[in-house]
Amino acid sequence: MTKPRRMYAAAIAVAATAAAAALTGASTAASANAPNCAGPVSDTWINVTVDGVRNGNGLMAVTLYADEPRKFLVKKGSMYVGRVDATAPETKMCLFVPKPGVYALAVYHDEDSSRNIKRSGVLGLPEEGFGFSNNPPTIASIPSFRSVRLNISKTGLSTRIHLKYP
């Protein structure tokens, strides 16, 4: 004879397993609705359109930064880099973000697929196209973190970044 407590515990275990399977299916369905996505899969992503792309060579690299100004554009400061094949005159993709929140995006056109941005020898200026979220001016220096902050409050939002080539 099965005791009521054991039956209750078994029912809870079955319900928990079914709920976990449903959540996994929802997450998979959500990511399936986000084509051409890059980065670690999550339930939150942003659609990114990069315009001003001069050719379809190589990769478009979108770097995600957390809301931490001291880590912006420093070596090993990013959360990750998402890469997709470049297409001209614009590249459309989506980038998974860990959860809704404030982030910054830096983009470069990795024309030679080296997975690194090419820089000039003396001054270290970019030799490949680049851009940032919110498209701040970058004439004399790199933009401030405050000027590139982007509030990604829910999944499926869109942003447009214009590339600048040297």
Side-chain angles (χ1 to χ4, degrees), residues 64-138:
L64 180 70
Y65 292 91
D67 193 15
E68 296 180 48
R70 63 184 176 78
K71 290 188 171 186
F72 182 57
L73 297 178
V74 299
K75 193 169 196 158
K76 301 198 187 256
S78 70
M79 297 178 78
Y80 51 83
V81 180
R83 293 177 176 86
V84 297
D85 291 335
T87 57
E90 65 182 24
T91 301
K92 291 185 177 193
M93 64 171 291
C94 77
L95 186 72
F96 288 112
V97 296
K99 62 184 179 181
V102 176
Y103 299 92
L105 302 177
V107 178
Y108 74 93
H109 183 184
D110 185 9
E111 291 179 271
D112 62 358
S113 299
S114 67
R115 297 175 114 37
N116 291 301
I117 188 165
K118 286 172 58 176
R119 297 180 177 273
S120 64
V122 178
L123 298 176
L125 298 174
E127 291 184 350
E128 296 177 300
F130 66 93
F132 299 94
S133 43
N134 300 328
N135 297 304
T138 56

Side-chain angles (χ1 to χ4, degrees), residues 144-158:
S144 69
F145 182 76
R146 185 173 56 210
S147 70
V148 299
R149 291 177 80 230
L150 190 62
N151 184 12
I152 304 172
S153 59
K154 61 182 181 177
T155 198
L157 295 178
S158 296

